Amino acid sequence: MRVSEETGPEATATPCGCVKPALETGNLLTEPVGYLESCFSAKNGTPRQPSVCSHSRACLRIRKSIFNNPEHSLMGLEQFSHVWILFVFHKNGHLSCKAKVQPPRLNGAKTGVFSTRSPHRPNAIGLTLAKLEKVEDGSQSSFKYFQSAEEARHAIEAVLSADPRSVYRRKLCQDRLFYFTVDIAHVTCWFGDGFAEVLRIKPASEPIQMTDPTESLVSLGS
């Protein structure tokens, strides 16, 4: 992410060759150190206040490309009970900032934006305090609920064996393709006469692309 102003002195290079931004003029050069995934995947229903849902859980994934030895960056972190997280409201869009806002808890009354938690600010920077539960190595199982890929395979087979399609999809719809998500796996499949064939399994966070049926990963008999 790059945040800069159009005017002001140009950035200078450091002895190591890196660009040194002119901080006093507001030219900031930052690099995301990681991305956070929470149990709330959509805006609707996500609590505005931390006290609303104390059982909320999230996972902060540190980018491995930042360090030569990324696992070293987390050494000693497990000794702390909480962590401060600085983040960017990256889905705010390019909305205009208002000096006065209407927080939900004020029942329509307006107040200055800097006295609120509104994400729509001149600089879309947020700060949160999170309780640290555990530090994990990213090489462990990538599933959130399954212990192994074999368990995920059995779950996918069970779903398809029960034919989760609606009556319309089974009898009236000409499109035999079917999509569903289990754990973090997005499954693309199609149904034939008495069988179901998986065309592709991809992480749910990746865009879905169709492929040729001959490249199927899992084929289920009737």
Side-chain angles (χ1 to χ4, degrees):
M1 180 192 70
R2 185 184 298 272
V3 181
S4 61
E5 293 181 348
E6 296 181 356
T7 59
E10 296 182 356
T12 58
T14 61
C16 65
C18 301
V19 176
K20 181 181 180 181
L23 299 181
E24 66 276 8
T25 64
N27 292 332
L28 304 179
L29 180 63
T30 63
E31 181 74 15
V33 299
Y35 297 93
L36 190 139
E37 302 172 357
S38 77
C39 57
F40 299 100
S41 59
K43 175 182 176 181
N44 292 340
T46 301
R48 295 186 178 94
Q49 305 288 341
S51 59
V52 173
C53 183
S54 60
H55 297 287
S56 301
R57 293 294 183 272
C59 177
L60 177 59
R61 302 185 183 277
I62 303 299
R63 293 177 57 203
K64 293 186 177 181
S65 60
I66 296 181
F67 306 102
N68 292 332
N69 299 294
E71 64 277 5
H72 293 173
S73 65
L74 301 178
M75 290 179 59
L77 187 61
E78 70 280 354
Q79 301 177 19
F80 297 88
S81 62
H82 292 74
V83 292
W84 287 104
I85 301 176
L86 269 170
F87 62 94
V88 175
F89 293 100
H90 66 290
K91 290 190 175 181
N92 266 2
H94 300 285
L95 302 178
S96 59
C97 298
K98 297 181 179 180
K100 280 189 175 182
V101 295
Q102 294 177 300
R105 287 192 171 186
L106 294 186
N107 297 320
K110 291 185 176 182
T111 187
V113 64
F114 290 132
S115 66
T116 72
R117 294 183 177 183
S118 171
H120 303 291
R121 320 173 75 83
N123 294 311
I125 300 174
L127 173 67
T128 187
L129 179 66
K131 182 179 179 181
L132 181 63
E133 291 193 336
K134 58 182 177 180
V135 179
E136 293 181 334
D137 183 356
S139 62
Q140 298 179 359
S141 174
S142 59
F143 292 103
K144 293 182 179 179
Y145 303 102
F146 300 127
Q147 298 299 316
S148 64
E150 189 64 21
E151 285 189 6
R153 177 190 174 98
H154 290 324
I156 293 172
E157 291 178 346
V159 171
L160 294 180
S161 297
D163 196 345
R165 296 177 298 168
S166 64
V167 174
Y168 170 78
R169 295 285 301 178
R170 291 198 304 267
K171 297 183 177 181
L172 301 177
C173 184
Q174 295 181 353
D175 183 7
R176 294 186 175 184
L177 290 177
F178 187 75
Y179 310 89
F180 68 96
T181 301
V182 55
D183 202 296
I184 63 167
H186 189 99
V187 182
T188 302
C189 60
W190 75 286
F191 284 84
D193 296 330
F195 71 93
E197 186 175 22
V198 173
L199 303 180
R200 174 156 295 190
I201 300 177
K202 296 179 68 68
S205 59
E206 293 187 8
I208 305 304
Q209 297 179 355
M210 297 307 304
T211 185
D212 191 286
T214 59
E215 299 178 1
S216 60
L217 303 179
V218 180
S219 181
L220 305 180
S222 58

